[in-house]
Amino acid sequence: MTKNEAVSGISGYAAKLTELSDAIWDHPEVKYHESFACSLLSEFMHSEGFTVVTGCAGIPTAFTATFGAGRPHIGLLGEYDALDGMSQVAEVDTRCPVVKGAPGHGCGHNLLGVGSVGAALLVRDYLKAGHSGTVTFFGCPAEEGGSGKTFMAREGIFDDLDTAVTWHPGDTNSVANGSNLANIQVAYHFKGKAAHAAISPDLGRSALDAIELMNMGIQFLREHVPDGCRIHYAITNTGGNSPNVVQAEADGIYLMRAKALPVVRSIKERIDDIARGAALMTGTKVEIEFIKACSNVMPNKVLVGVMQKNLEEYGSADYDDADRALAKKMRDSMEDRDDYYFELVSEISDPELRERLLSDRESPIYNAILPCPDKEECGMASSDVGDVSWICPTVQCSTVTMPGGTVMHSWQEVAVGKSTMAHKGMLQASKIMAGTVIDALEDPSIIEASKAELTRRTGGAPYVCPIPKDVPVPLNL
Ligand SMILES: [Zn+2]
Ligand SMILES: [Zn+2]
């Protein structure tokens, strides 16, 4: 079986993959609660002849599905978690939840997991035809706010891999060539003393005051951290709704990001000090709870080149008038559009291509194949794919599953998550990922060179998980 024969097998799996993705869209589950998606996909992989291990790293909704024998061992990463409060009726161009307040697939992870499953099936067929090597699909929970892969990485789940391949649903056909931000998330729990706010305020110690002072300290800190750092917060407990009570408890969650882990670690230490200072000022006590962290993505030029070649080889999915009509309808409902495509295209050095793609910007689907950017940019988001990329060379692409300019984590993204446009983009991603994996199976120099590049970039330092050993997986986040 040739690579192209294996990859063209996708048409035989299209109906089943579409059904799996739609079923996950219909049962959105948030971080570490993805029991429906995990059972659905792990049972499917078992039925397809993969060896399935569930409950990886002590996480009930994580699993691996392996096929083949010997080296190289290549991983395909999948996700299936949804986002809180994002429930939305499919293909309706007004905000309209299926169930008010319920979760929804606002990041397209119903497609993400199943697209990688599709690639694993194609690689399995290739291996079955007498080629040596091993492929593992990783069912990774809690990408959104839970760093599932980082906890899996801490337990060595990715250690045997020679390389890892993944994708993300998006509004461009492109290969990611750059890094993003490492992050750490910490909860600060303040405890004070309740008292009548008018009769005996002198006897009270306000935990809410401590949170306010902590935030003030952080506002002053912002000027003294490197450019490009981010510090976000949510006050998760204000201590109650009665202004005539001195609030005896208050809690906040802080999310800190920077381009490199050592920087984000030092920001965390400074914020810990600010919290201790706020407690001292208010006569309260603070408990610091490390929730989770993830590493920045380590780009890999060698693998980016291989995946770009596959992206160009298999091209864009074939979107039709119905896809364009839906995309236009949804896009007309957007008050704001994401200019990411515009930014990518304006960087293209070939003036003719740049002008052509810029003029495409008004079409509702950006189905051009973007060239690989010359520069490695640093995106401002974070992903737990970062941790895998420090362990083995890792690469990811995006294919078009949503209208051009769709804002990630928007209800419009949920609304198109089980459209034919989304299905087509997902199946195209399966092909591009499978092609990339098969190239790496066929040519050992790809893995060799990508590993040498990783060693060069890390200086040969071994991966150190940013989450301390004693931090439990936050299964009830
Ligand atoms: Zn997301
Ligand atoms: Zn995502």
Side-chain angles (χ1 to χ4, degrees):
M1 178 182 271
T2 64
K3 171 184 162 183
N4 279 335
E5 283 165 355
V7 170
S8 63
I10 195 70
S11 53
Y13 299 121
K16 183 65 194 176
L17 295 171
T18 299
E19 180 194 316
L20 291 170
S21 172
D22 287 358
I24 296 173
W25 191 97
D26 287 334
H27 293 84
E29 301 160 305
V30 297
K31 48 183 166 302
Y32 295 121
H33 298 279
E34 311 92 335
S35 50
F36 173 85
C38 178
S39 307
L40 184 73
L41 296 186
S42 59
E43 282 164 22
F44 173 70
M45 293 307 260
H46 178 72
S47 75
E48 289 289 326
F50 285 74
T51 302
V52 171
V53 177
T54 52
C56 301
I59 306 171
T61 55
F63 76 98
T64 58
T66 301
F67 187 90
R71 303 217 80 88
H73 185 182
I74 301 183
L76 285 157
L77 310 177
E79 299 164 11
Y80 30 70
D81 57 324
L83 286 157
D84 235 347
M86 299 248 29
S87 174
Q88 168 67 29
V89 176
E91 301 186 24
V92 166
D93 63 350
T94 51
R95 180 71 174 112
C96 174
V98 180
V99 179
K100 200 166 184 277
H105 274 286
C107 208
H109 294 182
N110 58 307
L111 302 161
L112 204 171
V114 177
S116 297
V117 162
L121 296 179
L122 301 179
V123 175
R124 176 210 52 191
D125 293 345
Y126 177 82
L127 293 174
K128 232 178 166 173
H131 300 277
S132 76
T134 307
V135 64
T136 296
F137 170 85
F138 291 84
C140 307
E143 189 279 327
E144 301 285 0
S147 290
K149 291 182 203 68
T150 315
F151 283 100
M152 291 165 79
R154 187 179 68 175
E155 304 310 316
I157 302 292
F158 305 106
D159 285 358
D160 191 54
L161 289 182
D162 291 302
T163 192
V165 177
T166 189
W167 77 294
H168 202 288
D171 69 346
T172 64
N173 293 308
S174 58
V175 176
N177 181 35
S179 190
N180 59 6
L181 302 182
N183 76 29
I184 298 180
Q185 187 162 307
V186 185
Y188 296 88
H189 307 286
F190 289 92
K191 293 264 179 302
K193 239 180 357 183
H196 193 293
I199 298 169
S200 48
D202 51 315
L203 299 179
R205 296 291 178 268
S206 171
L208 185 58
D209 286 359
I211 288 258
E212 292 210 59
L213 285 164
M214 174 168 173
N215 279 339
M216 207 179 285
I218 289 172
Q219 306 312 349
F220 284 106
L221 173 70
R222 289 182 200 277
E223 193 190 341
H224 305 286
V225 294
D227 282 350
C229 293
R230 297 277 191 272
I231 305 168
H232 327 291
Y233 71 97
I235 299 177
T236 52
N237 173 16
T238 58
N241 298 324
S242 306
N244 58 348
V245 176
V246 174
Q247 287 82 4
E249 54 182 61
D251 306 293
I253 292 181
Y254 290 72
L255 178 56
M256 310 141 199
R257 307 183 204 245
K259 285 181 186 169
L261 261 180
V263 179
V264 75
R265 279 200 187 103
S266 88
I267 290 174
K268 188 224 172 245
E269 277 165 26
R270 292 166 79 186
I271 291 181
D272 287 353
D273 278 344
I274 288 172
R276 290 185 195 107
L280 192 62
M281 282 189 278
T282 50
T284 59
K285 295 204 172 354
V286 65
E287 185 206 325
I288 300 170
E289 182 196 0
F290 194 110
I291 299 177
K292 60 116 207 164
C294 69
S295 305
N296 54 303
V297 161
M298 192 55 85
N300 195 289
K301 259 195 177 8
V302 171
L303 289 183
V304 165
V306 175
M307 198 170 214
Q308 179 73 27
K309 215 171 74 216
N310 280 279
L311 175 69
E312 286 168 14
E313 191 174 335
Y314 296 113
S316 171
D318 193 9
Y319 305 99
D320 60 18
D321 287 344
D323 297 324
R324 278 184 286 275
L326 173 68
K328 177 157 183 354
K329 177 176 91 165
M330 295 311 300
R331 201 157 84 164
D332 288 347
S333 77
M334 295 172 195
E335 281 171 25
D336 298 299
R337 270 162 58 179
D338 189 329
D339 272 339
Y340 179 64
Y341 178 82
F342 181 71
E343 286 166 28
L344 279 178
V345 169
S346 57
E347 293 281 319
I348 292 174
S349 47
D350 174 352
E352 201 183 309
L353 181 64
R354 188 176 61 234
E355 289 317 308
R356 183 162 63 76
L357 294 183
L358 282 174
S359 65
D360 268 2
R361 193 171 170 246
E362 287 316 309
S363 60
I365 295 181
Y366 302 154
N367 66 342
I369 301 296
L370 295 188
C372 186
D374 307 326
K375 261 202 313 216
E376 282 181 7
E377 299 284 357
C378 182
M380 299 313 284
S382 308
S383 162
D384 55 9
V385 171
D387 290 88
V388 183
S389 74
W390 280 75
I391 296 168
C392 66
T394 301
V395 68
Q396 54 185 320
C397 68
S398 157
T399 60
V400 173
T401 63
M402 60 188 86
T406 303
V407 174
M408 302 295 281
H409 293 195
S410 65
W411 61 262
Q412 286 93 346
E413 182 174 357
V414 187
V416 296
K418 59 173 185 175
S419 62
T420 56
M421 175 192 354
H423 298 145
K424 288 175 183 175
M426 174 183 80
L427 297 170
Q428 203 63 15
S430 300
K431 290 163 68 177
I432 294 158
M433 285 188 285
T436 304
V437 172
I438 293 170
D439 280 350
L441 289 169
E442 287 185 346
D443 178 0
S445 75
I446 292 173
I447 288 178
E448 218 171 281
S450 63
K451 281 186 171 176
E453 180 179 346
L454 177 60
T455 306
R456 206 165 54 241
R457 285 177 186 264
T458 59
Y463 168 70
V464 177
C465 184
I467 303 173
K469 266 273 164 227
D470 59 346
V471 172
V473 182
L475 296 179
N476 291 316
L477 254 187

